[in-house]
């Protein structure tokens, strides 16, 4: 066996304590010390940290069949994701993805832009009344992006239903942040134990199930609308001619809702912080917006002209990829970069680590959107930049996310400035990469 560089750590626990204390710092240390493929031990079992772009490519693309998505190890999340795109594998995944893929093509999403603009304008109006206050940027971004996903998807507007859904989604997301191993194992192996945490999460899941089911049945008896629900209801598998049944439709909608707002909210939260730390890039961005839009919100045709905006969003996600780590499980033995990989092992793909490899990203800690512009951008290794994953399971919401983030920033940036005022952001690696205190920043009108 030609094993990769290996870190055994403590007896039985292996590297668990180091990971629990600081997963990103420790993983970066492992990559810097041992390279782009490191074998580690945790709870008596070996796993692999894969960060070198060519190796990432093998796992996500060239030999993707050998690297399946592991079952959710978070106690009850499988109830939510099971049956939707994120939680299925093999032939079932292929069929589901084939049906949904055309609805998320860039062109198909253009009809959703007016809704995105109108909700961004609502936030701008709200911010006008908050000038001078210190705001929690993550909460503000989360709220508007949640409205965008629910309204573009289900056609429902801010009101009681949306509040209930938001609460249920937050409960589910909070559970996914629960890194208390014992609680997770108890929830998973003794699902029927009368435990308050189980009840809260079960109630949230049933609320999501019943609300979305009733929206679907209402829609079936009413006029078609211009939203994603309609697109998914009308979608047909090109091979079989069949669409989703009601249960699949419900699971898909919930999956998209949960996957689609916290990630973008984190990305924009970090971007606001970075723009205040790099004033010149912020000024250039505002100039680009003023020049291209002259005070109005970006419409479909403008997006291609907002090159610096897209580059700034991309560079923000290079430094702070919302999905900082995602797992695979090797099916059979494989060889990566000349090293043996055992079948049945956990593989960690870590955008946060890959995005800091100095061989691909000179001065990796510096925020420089120009990396994503012109000739420089053409030289980027496809698997050195993986905030949306890669290969067949590339994020389905990639275009949706880029469009909604560009629209929102194009409305807010020319009018407002957010200031850290001496606050130093702290990265917290929960399920998504979030700012520990929600990025408190002072809201000012742009002069
Ligand atoms: C900045 C925003 C986003 C980021 C950083 C992000 C990141 C990711 C990543 C890394 C994956 C791949 C995970 C893996 O391979 O295991 C993924 C998959 C997925 N994302 Fe996103 N995402 C974002 C926005 C969205 C949005 C807006 C939606 C839906 C509207 C969405 C829906 C999904 C779905 C359904 C999958 C599973 C795809 C499949 O397995 O076929 N995401 N996302």
């Amino acid at each position: 066996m030609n094993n990769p560089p290996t870190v055994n750590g403590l007896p039985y626990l292996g590297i668990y304590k180091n990971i629990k204390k600081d997963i990103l710092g420790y993983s970066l240390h492992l990559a810097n010390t041992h390279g782009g493929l490191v074998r580690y031990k945790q709870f008596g079992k070996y796993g692999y940290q894969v960060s070198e772009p060519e190796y990432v490519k093998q796992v996500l693309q060239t030999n993707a069949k050998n690297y399946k998505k592991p079952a959710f190890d978070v106690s009850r999340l499988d109830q939510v994701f099971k049956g939707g795109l994120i939680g299925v594998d093999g032939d079932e995944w292929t069929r589901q993805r084939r049906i949904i893929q055309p609805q998320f093509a860039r062109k198909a999403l253009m009809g959703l832009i007016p809704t995105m603009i109108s909700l961004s304008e609502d936030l701008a109006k709200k911010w006008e009344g908050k000038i001078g206050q210190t705001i929690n940027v993550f909460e503000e971004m989360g709220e508007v992006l949640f409205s965008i996903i629910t309204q573009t998807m289900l056609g429902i507007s801010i009101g009681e239903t949306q509040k209930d859904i938001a609460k249920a989604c937050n409960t589910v997301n909070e559970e996914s942040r629960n890194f208390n191993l014992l609680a997770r194992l108890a929830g998973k192996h003794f699902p029927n134990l009368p435990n308050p945490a189980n009840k809260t999460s079960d109630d949230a899941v049933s609320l999501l199930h019943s609300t979305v089911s009733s929206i679907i049945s209402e829609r079936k008896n009413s006029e078609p609308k211009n939203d994603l629900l309609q697109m998914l209801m009308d979608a047909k598998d090109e091979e079989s001619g069949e669409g989703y049944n009601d249960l699949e439709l419900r699971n898909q909608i919930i999956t998209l809702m949960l996957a689609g707002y916290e990630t973008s909210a984190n990305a924009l939260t970090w971007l606001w912080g970075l723009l205040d730390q790099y004033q010149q890039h912020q000024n250039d961005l505002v100039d680009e917006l003023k020049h291209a839009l002259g005070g109005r919100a970006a419409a479909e045709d403008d997006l291609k002209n907002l090159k610096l905006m897209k580059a700034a969003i991309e560079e923000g996600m290079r430094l702070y990829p919302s999905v900082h780590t995602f797992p695979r499980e090797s099916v059979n033995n494989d060889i990566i970069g000349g090293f043996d990989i055992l079948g049945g092992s956990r593989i960690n793909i870590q955008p946060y680590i890959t995005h800091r490899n100095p061989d691909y990203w000179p001065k990796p800690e510096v925020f420089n959107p120009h990396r994503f512009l012109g000739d420089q951008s053409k030289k980027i290794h496809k698997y050195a930049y993986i905030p949306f994953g890669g290969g067949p399971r590339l994020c389905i919401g990639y275009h949706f996310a880029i469009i909604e983030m560009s629209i929102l920033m194009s409305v807010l940036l020319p009018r407002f400035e957010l200031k850290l005022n001496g606050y130093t952001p702290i990265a917290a690696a929960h399920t998504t990469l979030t700012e520990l205190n929600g990025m408190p920043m002072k809201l000012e009108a742009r002069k």
Side-chain angles (χ1 to χ4, degrees), residues 60 69 85-86 88 93 97 100 104 149 153 228 252 255-257 259-261 263-265 267 317 321-323 326-328 351 386-390 392-398 400-401 404-405:
L60 295 183
K69 289 188 74 152
L85 198 61
I86 290 186
V88 291
W93 170 81
R97 178 100 188 191
I100 202 173
F104 278 88
I149 190 84
M153 198 148 59
L228 277 171
Q252 218 60 275
T255 295
L256 294 169
M257 222 152 53
Y261 78 102
T263 39
S264 317
M317 284 193 295
S322 308
V323 181
F326 56 91
R328 288 292 186 270
I386 46 169
F388 292 99
R393 296 205 78 140
L394 179 78
C395 174
I396 193 99
Y398 164 73
F400 186 99
E404 68 174 352
M405 292 192 285

Short mmCIF file of all heavy atoms in Angstrom, two decimals, residues 60 69 85-86 88 93 97 100 104 149 153 228 252 255-257 259-261 263-265 267 317 321-323 326-328 351 386-390 392-398 400-401 404-405, ligand 1:
data_model
loop_
_atom_site.label_atom_id
_atom_site.label_comp_id
_atom_site.label_asym_id
_atom_site.label_seq_id
_atom_site.Cartn_x
_atom_site.Cartn_y
_atom_site.Cartn_z
N LEU A 60 -14.69 14.53 -7.91
CA LEU A 60 -15.98 15.13 -8.28
C LEU A 60 -16.37 14.86 -9.73
O LEU A 60 -17.54 14.87 -10.06
CB LEU A 60 -15.96 16.65 -8.05
CG LEU A 60 -15.81 17.12 -6.60
CD1 LEU A 60 -15.89 18.63 -6.54
CD2 LEU A 60 -16.88 16.49 -5.71
N LYS A 69 -22.42 10.41 -2.38
CA LYS A 69 -22.70 11.30 -1.25
C LYS A 69 -23.06 10.44 -0.05
O LYS A 69 -23.92 9.57 -0.15
CB LYS A 69 -23.86 12.22 -1.59
CG LYS A 69 -23.45 13.25 -2.61
CD LYS A 69 -24.48 14.30 -2.85
CE LYS A 69 -24.57 15.28 -1.74
NZ LYS A 69 -25.03 16.60 -2.17
N LEU A 85 -33.38 16.48 -4.33
CA LEU A 85 -32.15 16.34 -5.12
C LEU A 85 -30.88 16.12 -4.28
O LEU A 85 -30.01 15.34 -4.64
CB LEU A 85 -32.00 17.59 -5.99
CG LEU A 85 -31.07 17.49 -7.18
CD1 LEU A 85 -31.53 16.42 -8.15
CD2 LEU A 85 -31.00 18.83 -7.89
N ILE A 86 -30.80 16.83 -3.14
CA ILE A 86 -29.57 16.72 -2.33
C ILE A 86 -29.44 15.35 -1.70
O ILE A 86 -28.34 14.83 -1.54
CB ILE A 86 -29.57 17.82 -1.23
CG1 ILE A 86 -29.38 19.18 -1.89
CG2 ILE A 86 -28.50 17.57 -0.19
CD1 ILE A 86 -29.22 20.31 -0.92
N VAL A 88 -30.61 12.26 -2.68
CA VAL A 88 -30.71 11.00 -3.42
C VAL A 88 -29.42 10.74 -4.20
O VAL A 88 -28.61 11.64 -4.40
CB VAL A 88 -31.91 10.99 -4.40
CG1 VAL A 88 -33.22 10.97 -3.67
CG2 VAL A 88 -31.86 12.18 -5.36
N TRP A 93 -31.16 9.93 -8.57
CA TRP A 93 -30.61 11.29 -8.70
C TRP A 93 -30.58 11.71 -10.17
O TRP A 93 -30.97 12.82 -10.52
CB TRP A 93 -29.20 11.37 -8.09
CG TRP A 93 -28.56 12.69 -8.43
CD1 TRP A 93 -28.77 13.87 -7.80
CD2 TRP A 93 -27.69 12.95 -9.53
NE1 TRP A 93 -28.07 14.88 -8.43
CE2 TRP A 93 -27.39 14.33 -9.49
CE3 TRP A 93 -27.12 12.18 -10.53
CZ2 TRP A 93 -26.55 14.94 -10.42
CZ3 TRP A 93 -26.28 12.78 -11.46
CH2 TRP A 93 -26.01 14.15 -11.38
N ARG A 97 -32.49 14.99 -11.49
CA ARG A 97 -31.67 16.11 -11.96
C ARG A 97 -32.04 16.46 -13.41
O ARG A 97 -32.08 17.62 -13.79
CB ARG A 97 -30.19 15.73 -11.83
CG ARG A 97 -29.22 16.77 -12.33
CD ARG A 97 -28.61 17.61 -11.23
NE ARG A 97 -27.84 18.71 -11.76
CZ ARG A 97 -27.04 19.48 -11.07
NH1 ARG A 97 -26.90 19.31 -9.78
NH2 ARG A 97 -26.39 20.46 -11.62
N ILE A 100 -35.14 18.66 -13.44
CA ILE A 100 -35.04 20.00 -12.86
C ILE A 100 -34.03 20.90 -13.59
O ILE A 100 -34.16 22.12 -13.61
CB ILE A 100 -34.68 19.89 -11.35
CG1 ILE A 100 -35.10 21.16 -10.61
CG2 ILE A 100 -33.24 19.57 -11.12
CD1 ILE A 100 -34.93 21.05 -9.11
N PHE A 104 -33.33 25.53 -14.16
CA PHE A 104 -32.31 26.34 -13.51
C PHE A 104 -31.23 26.84 -14.47
O PHE A 104 -30.21 27.37 -14.04
CB PHE A 104 -31.68 25.58 -12.33
CG PHE A 104 -32.53 25.67 -11.09
CD1 PHE A 104 -33.54 24.77 -10.85
CD2 PHE A 104 -32.34 26.71 -10.20
CE1 PHE A 104 -34.35 24.88 -9.74
CE2 PHE A 104 -33.15 26.83 -9.07
CZ PHE A 104 -34.15 25.91 -8.84
N ILE A 149 -36.24 33.65 -2.40
CA ILE A 149 -36.40 32.22 -2.77
C ILE A 149 -37.86 31.79 -2.63
O ILE A 149 -38.40 31.11 -3.49
CB ILE A 149 -35.41 31.30 -2.00
CG1 ILE A 149 -35.42 29.88 -2.57
CG2 ILE A 149 -35.70 31.18 -0.53
CD1 ILE A 149 -34.55 29.70 -3.73
N MET A 153 -40.11 31.09 -5.91
CA MET A 153 -40.41 29.68 -6.05
C MET A 153 -41.90 29.40 -5.88
O MET A 153 -42.50 28.68 -6.65
CB MET A 153 -39.62 28.89 -5.02
CG MET A 153 -39.55 27.44 -5.36
SD MET A 153 -38.05 26.71 -4.82
CE MET A 153 -38.14 26.99 -3.11
N LEU A 228 -41.12 29.35 -9.92
CA LEU A 228 -40.43 28.07 -10.05
C LEU A 228 -41.34 26.88 -9.78
O LEU A 228 -41.17 25.82 -10.37
CB LEU A 228 -39.24 28.02 -9.09
CG LEU A 228 -37.96 28.68 -9.58
CD1 LEU A 228 -36.95 28.76 -8.46
CD2 LEU A 228 -37.36 27.87 -10.73
N GLN A 252 -38.77 18.43 -3.39
CA GLN A 252 -37.85 19.24 -4.19
C GLN A 252 -37.93 20.70 -3.76
O GLN A 252 -36.92 21.38 -3.61
CB GLN A 252 -38.26 19.10 -5.67
CG GLN A 252 -37.11 19.04 -6.61
CD GLN A 252 -36.20 17.87 -6.32
OE1 GLN A 252 -35.31 17.99 -5.47
NE2 GLN A 252 -36.39 16.76 -6.97
N THR A 255 -36.25 21.19 -0.43
CA THR A 255 -34.79 21.11 -0.60
C THR A 255 -34.24 22.43 -1.14
O THR A 255 -33.26 22.99 -0.63
CB THR A 255 -34.43 19.99 -1.62
OG1 THR A 255 -34.80 18.75 -1.05
CG2 THR A 255 -32.95 19.98 -1.93
N LEU A 256 -34.89 22.96 -2.18
CA LEU A 256 -34.40 24.19 -2.82
C LEU A 256 -34.48 25.36 -1.84
O LEU A 256 -33.59 26.21 -1.78
CB LEU A 256 -35.20 24.50 -4.07
CG LEU A 256 -35.04 23.48 -5.21
CD1 LEU A 256 -36.07 23.73 -6.29
CD2 LEU A 256 -33.64 23.56 -5.80
N MET A 257 -35.55 25.37 -1.06
CA MET A 257 -35.73 26.48 -0.12
C MET A 257 -34.62 26.48 0.93
O MET A 257 -34.04 27.50 1.25
CB MET A 257 -37.08 26.30 0.57
CG MET A 257 -37.84 27.56 0.71
SD MET A 257 -39.59 27.22 0.74
CE MET A 257 -39.76 26.02 2.01
N ALA A 259 -31.66 24.88 0.72
CA ALA A 259 -30.30 24.97 0.18
C ALA A 259 -30.01 26.37 -0.35
O ALA A 259 -28.86 26.75 -0.52
CB ALA A 259 -30.12 23.96 -0.96
N GLY A 260 -31.10 27.14 -0.60
CA GLY A 260 -30.92 28.29 -1.45
C GLY A 260 -30.85 29.65 -0.80
O GLY A 260 -30.80 30.63 -1.51
N TYR A 261 -30.90 29.78 0.51
CA TYR A 261 -30.82 31.17 0.99
C TYR A 261 -29.70 31.42 2.00
O TYR A 261 -29.04 32.44 1.95
CB TYR A 261 -32.17 31.63 1.56
CG TYR A 261 -32.50 31.15 2.94
CD1 TYR A 261 -32.36 32.00 4.03
CD2 TYR A 261 -32.92 29.86 3.17
CE1 TYR A 261 -32.65 31.55 5.30
CE2 TYR A 261 -33.22 29.42 4.44
CZ TYR A 261 -33.08 30.25 5.50
OH TYR A 261 -33.35 29.82 6.77
N THR A 263 -26.82 29.98 2.16
CA THR A 263 -25.56 30.01 1.43
C THR A 263 -25.32 31.39 0.81
O THR A 263 -24.25 31.99 1.00
CB THR A 263 -25.59 28.95 0.30
OG1 THR A 263 -26.89 28.94 -0.27
CG2 THR A 263 -25.22 27.59 0.81
N SER A 264 -26.34 31.91 0.11
CA SER A 264 -26.16 33.22 -0.54
C SER A 264 -26.07 34.32 0.52
O SER A 264 -25.32 35.29 0.34
CB SER A 264 -27.33 33.55 -1.47
OG SER A 264 -27.69 32.44 -2.22
N ALA A 265 -26.83 34.17 1.61
CA ALA A 265 -26.79 35.20 2.67
C ALA A 265 -25.39 35.29 3.27
O ALA A 265 -24.86 36.39 3.49
CB ALA A 265 -27.82 34.88 3.75
N ALA A 267 -22.59 34.45 1.75
CA ALA A 267 -21.66 34.97 0.74
C ALA A 267 -21.73 36.50 0.72
O ALA A 267 -20.69 37.18 0.71
CB ALA A 267 -22.01 34.39 -0.64
N MET A 317 -16.42 34.69 -2.45
CA MET A 317 -16.68 33.27 -2.18
C MET A 317 -15.42 32.40 -2.26
O MET A 317 -15.42 31.28 -1.80
CB MET A 317 -17.75 32.74 -3.14
CG MET A 317 -19.14 33.19 -2.76
SD MET A 317 -20.40 32.29 -3.65
CE MET A 317 -20.05 32.84 -5.28
N PRO A 321 -16.00 30.60 1.23
CA PRO A 321 -17.00 29.77 0.55
C PRO A 321 -18.05 29.30 1.57
O PRO A 321 -17.70 28.65 2.56
CB PRO A 321 -16.18 28.59 0.03
CG PRO A 321 -14.94 28.55 0.86
CD PRO A 321 -14.70 29.93 1.38
N SER A 322 -19.33 29.63 1.32
CA SER A 322 -20.38 29.28 2.28
C SER A 322 -20.34 27.79 2.62
O SER A 322 -20.48 27.40 3.76
CB SER A 322 -21.75 29.60 1.71
OG SER A 322 -21.79 30.91 1.26
N VAL A 323 -20.19 26.96 1.57
CA VAL A 323 -20.05 25.52 1.83
C VAL A 323 -18.55 25.26 1.93
O VAL A 323 -17.89 25.00 0.93
CB VAL A 323 -20.72 24.69 0.72
CG1 VAL A 323 -20.61 23.20 0.99
CG2 VAL A 323 -22.19 25.10 0.58
N PHE A 326 -17.47 19.72 2.03
CA PHE A 326 -18.55 18.77 1.76
C PHE A 326 -17.98 17.37 1.54
O PHE A 326 -16.88 17.21 1.06
CB PHE A 326 -19.48 19.23 0.62
CG PHE A 326 -18.81 19.51 -0.69
CD1 PHE A 326 -18.67 18.52 -1.64
CD2 PHE A 326 -18.37 20.78 -1.00
CE1 PHE A 326 -18.08 18.77 -2.87
CE2 PHE A 326 -17.77 21.05 -2.22
CZ PHE A 326 -17.62 20.04 -3.15
N PRO A 327 -18.77 16.36 1.95
CA PRO A 327 -18.21 15.01 2.01
C PRO A 327 -18.57 14.12 0.83
O PRO A 327 -19.54 14.36 0.13
CB PRO A 327 -18.90 14.45 3.26
CG PRO A 327 -20.24 15.10 3.27
CD PRO A 327 -20.09 16.44 2.60
N ARG A 328 -17.76 13.12 0.63
CA ARG A 328 -18.07 12.00 -0.26
C ARG A 328 -17.67 10.73 0.47
O ARG A 328 -16.94 10.78 1.47
CB ARG A 328 -17.26 12.09 -1.55
CG ARG A 328 -17.70 13.19 -2.50
CD ARG A 328 -19.06 12.91 -3.09
NE ARG A 328 -19.46 13.89 -4.09
CZ ARG A 328 -20.11 15.01 -3.84
NH1 ARG A 328 -20.43 15.32 -2.59
NH2 ARG A 328 -20.45 15.82 -4.81
N PRO A 351 -13.51 23.44 -0.08
CA PRO A 351 -13.27 24.65 -0.87
C PRO A 351 -12.41 25.67 -0.11
O PRO A 351 -11.51 26.28 -0.71
CB PRO A 351 -14.69 25.19 -1.11
CG PRO A 351 -15.55 23.97 -1.09
CD PRO A 351 -14.92 23.04 -0.09
N ILE A 386 -14.04 26.04 -6.30
CA ILE A 386 -15.17 25.10 -6.21
C ILE A 386 -16.22 25.52 -5.16
O ILE A 386 -16.72 24.67 -4.42
CB ILE A 386 -14.65 23.68 -5.87
CG1 ILE A 386 -13.60 23.74 -4.72
CG2 ILE A 386 -14.07 22.99 -7.09
CD1 ILE A 386 -13.23 22.39 -4.14
N PRO A 387 -16.60 26.81 -5.11
CA PRO A 387 -17.60 27.19 -4.10
C PRO A 387 -18.94 26.52 -4.36
O PRO A 387 -19.75 26.36 -3.44
CB PRO A 387 -17.72 28.71 -4.26
CG PRO A 387 -17.28 28.99 -5.64
CD PRO A 387 -16.23 27.95 -5.96
N PHE A 388 -19.20 26.15 -5.62
CA PHE A 388 -20.47 25.50 -5.96
C PHE A 388 -20.26 24.01 -6.23
O PHE A 388 -21.09 23.36 -6.86
CB PHE A 388 -21.09 26.17 -7.19
CG PHE A 388 -21.56 27.58 -6.92
CD1 PHE A 388 -20.77 28.67 -7.30
CD2 PHE A 388 -22.76 27.84 -6.28
CE1 PHE A 388 -21.19 29.98 -7.06
CE2 PHE A 388 -23.19 29.14 -6.03
CZ PHE A 388 -22.40 30.21 -6.41
N GLY A 389 -19.15 23.45 -5.75
CA GLY A 389 -18.85 22.05 -6.03
C GLY A 389 -18.38 21.89 -7.45
O GLY A 389 -17.83 22.83 -8.06
N GLY A 390 -18.61 20.71 -8.05
CA GLY A 390 -18.17 20.49 -9.42
C GLY A 390 -18.62 19.13 -9.91
O GLY A 390 -19.17 18.33 -9.15
N PRO A 392 -20.85 16.28 -11.98
CA PRO A 392 -22.29 16.14 -12.20
C PRO A 392 -23.14 16.73 -11.08
O PRO A 392 -24.28 17.12 -11.32
CB PRO A 392 -22.50 14.62 -12.29
CG PRO A 392 -21.20 13.99 -11.92
CD PRO A 392 -20.13 15.01 -12.03
N ARG A 393 -22.61 16.81 -9.87
CA ARG A 393 -23.44 17.31 -8.76
C ARG A 393 -23.18 18.79 -8.47
O ARG A 393 -23.49 19.28 -7.37
CB ARG A 393 -23.22 16.46 -7.51
CG ARG A 393 -23.69 15.04 -7.75
CD ARG A 393 -24.08 14.31 -6.51
NE ARG A 393 -25.39 14.68 -6.03
CZ ARG A 393 -26.27 13.81 -5.52
NH1 ARG A 393 -25.98 12.54 -5.46
NH2 ARG A 393 -27.43 14.22 -5.06
N LEU A 394 -22.66 19.48 -9.45
CA LEU A 394 -22.49 20.94 -9.32
C LEU A 394 -23.79 21.56 -8.85
O LEU A 394 -24.87 21.14 -9.28
CB LEU A 394 -22.12 21.50 -10.70
CG LEU A 394 -21.92 23.02 -10.77
CD1 LEU A 394 -20.55 23.40 -10.21
CD2 LEU A 394 -22.01 23.51 -12.22
N CYS A 395 -23.69 22.56 -7.99
CA CYS A 395 -24.88 23.22 -7.44
C CYS A 395 -25.89 23.58 -8.54
O CYS A 395 -25.55 24.27 -9.50
CB CYS A 395 -24.44 24.49 -6.73
SG CYS A 395 -25.83 25.49 -6.16
N ILE A 396 -27.12 23.14 -8.36
CA ILE A 396 -28.15 23.44 -9.36
C ILE A 396 -28.51 24.93 -9.33
O ILE A 396 -28.97 25.50 -10.31
CB ILE A 396 -29.40 22.56 -9.14
CG1 ILE A 396 -30.35 22.62 -10.33
CG2 ILE A 396 -30.17 22.97 -7.91
CD1 ILE A 396 -30.22 21.48 -11.23
N GLY A 397 -28.29 25.57 -8.17
CA GLY A 397 -28.70 26.97 -8.00
C GLY A 397 -27.61 27.97 -8.34
O GLY A 397 -27.73 29.15 -8.00
N TYR A 398 -26.55 27.52 -9.03
CA TYR A 398 -25.41 28.39 -9.31
C TYR A 398 -25.84 29.71 -10.02
O TYR A 398 -25.56 30.80 -9.54
CB TYR A 398 -24.39 27.61 -10.15
CG TYR A 398 -23.37 28.48 -10.84
CD1 TYR A 398 -22.37 29.09 -10.10
CD2 TYR A 398 -23.41 28.72 -12.21
CE1 TYR A 398 -21.43 29.92 -10.72
CE2 TYR A 398 -22.49 29.53 -12.84
CZ TYR A 398 -21.50 30.13 -12.08
OH TYR A 398 -20.60 30.95 -12.69
N PHE A 400 -28.88 30.93 -10.36
CA PHE A 400 -29.86 31.62 -9.52
C PHE A 400 -29.13 32.48 -8.48
O PHE A 400 -29.43 33.66 -8.28
CB PHE A 400 -30.75 30.58 -8.82
CG PHE A 400 -31.88 31.15 -8.04
CD1 PHE A 400 -33.15 31.19 -8.58
CD2 PHE A 400 -31.69 31.65 -6.76
CE1 PHE A 400 -34.22 31.72 -7.85
CE2 PHE A 400 -32.74 32.19 -6.03
CZ PHE A 400 -34.01 32.23 -6.58
N ALA A 401 -28.14 31.88 -7.83
CA ALA A 401 -27.41 32.58 -6.76
C ALA A 401 -26.66 33.80 -7.31
O ALA A 401 -26.74 34.89 -6.75
CB ALA A 401 -26.44 31.62 -6.07
N GLU A 404 -29.28 36.54 -8.26
CA GLU A 404 -29.93 37.23 -7.13
C GLU A 404 -28.93 38.09 -6.35
O GLU A 404 -29.24 39.21 -5.94
CB GLU A 404 -30.66 36.25 -6.20
CG GLU A 404 -29.74 35.33 -5.42
CD GLU A 404 -30.45 34.45 -4.40
OE1 GLU A 404 -31.65 34.63 -4.14
OE2 GLU A 404 -29.76 33.56 -3.84
N MET A 405 -27.70 37.60 -6.21
CA MET A 405 -26.71 38.38 -5.46
C MET A 405 -26.32 39.65 -6.24
O MET A 405 -26.17 40.72 -5.65
CB MET A 405 -25.47 37.52 -5.15
CG MET A 405 -25.77 36.41 -4.15
SD MET A 405 -24.29 35.60 -3.48
CE MET A 405 -23.78 34.59 -4.83
C1 LIG B 1 -23.85 31.24 -2.78
C2 LIG B 1 -24.81 30.37 -2.90
C3 LIG B 1 -24.63 28.86 -2.97
C4 LIG B 1 -23.53 28.09 -2.69
C5 LIG B 1 -22.16 28.55 -2.21
C6 LIG B 1 -23.90 26.71 -2.96
C7 LIG B 1 -23.03 25.62 -2.84
C8 LIG B 1 -23.35 24.33 -3.22
C9 LIG B 1 -22.41 23.23 -3.25
C10 LIG B 1 -20.93 23.30 -2.86
C11 LIG B 1 -23.07 22.14 -3.71
C12 LIG B 1 -22.47 20.76 -3.99
C13 LIG B 1 -22.49 19.87 -2.77
C14 LIG B 1 -21.95 18.49 -3.08
O1 LIG B 1 -21.43 18.22 -4.17
O2 LIG B 1 -22.01 17.64 -2.16
C15 LIG B 1 -24.45 22.53 -3.93
C16 LIG B 1 -25.46 21.69 -4.35
C17 LIG B 1 -26.78 22.07 -4.43
N1 LIG B 1 -27.28 23.34 -4.32
FE1 LIG B 1 -26.25 25.01 -3.95
N2 LIG B 1 -25.20 26.68 -3.35
C18 LIG B 1 -25.69 27.97 -3.39
C19 LIG B 1 -26.95 28.38 -3.77
C20 LIG B 1 -27.99 27.53 -4.10
C21 LIG B 1 -29.31 27.96 -4.48
C22 LIG B 1 -29.75 29.41 -4.65
C23 LIG B 1 -30.04 26.81 -4.67
C24 LIG B 1 -31.48 26.65 -5.09
C25 LIG B 1 -32.27 27.60 -5.47
C26 LIG B 1 -29.16 25.68 -4.42
C27 LIG B 1 -29.53 24.35 -4.50
C28 LIG B 1 -28.65 23.29 -4.49
C29 LIG B 1 -29.05 21.90 -4.74
C30 LIG B 1 -30.46 21.39 -4.97
C31 LIG B 1 -27.87 21.14 -4.70
C32 LIG B 1 -27.75 19.63 -4.92
C33 LIG B 1 -27.45 19.35 -6.38
C34 LIG B 1 -27.28 17.87 -6.69
O3 LIG B 1 -26.82 17.12 -5.84
O4 LIG B 1 -27.59 17.50 -7.84
N3 LIG B 1 -27.93 26.15 -4.08
N4 LIG B 1 -24.59 23.87 -3.63
#
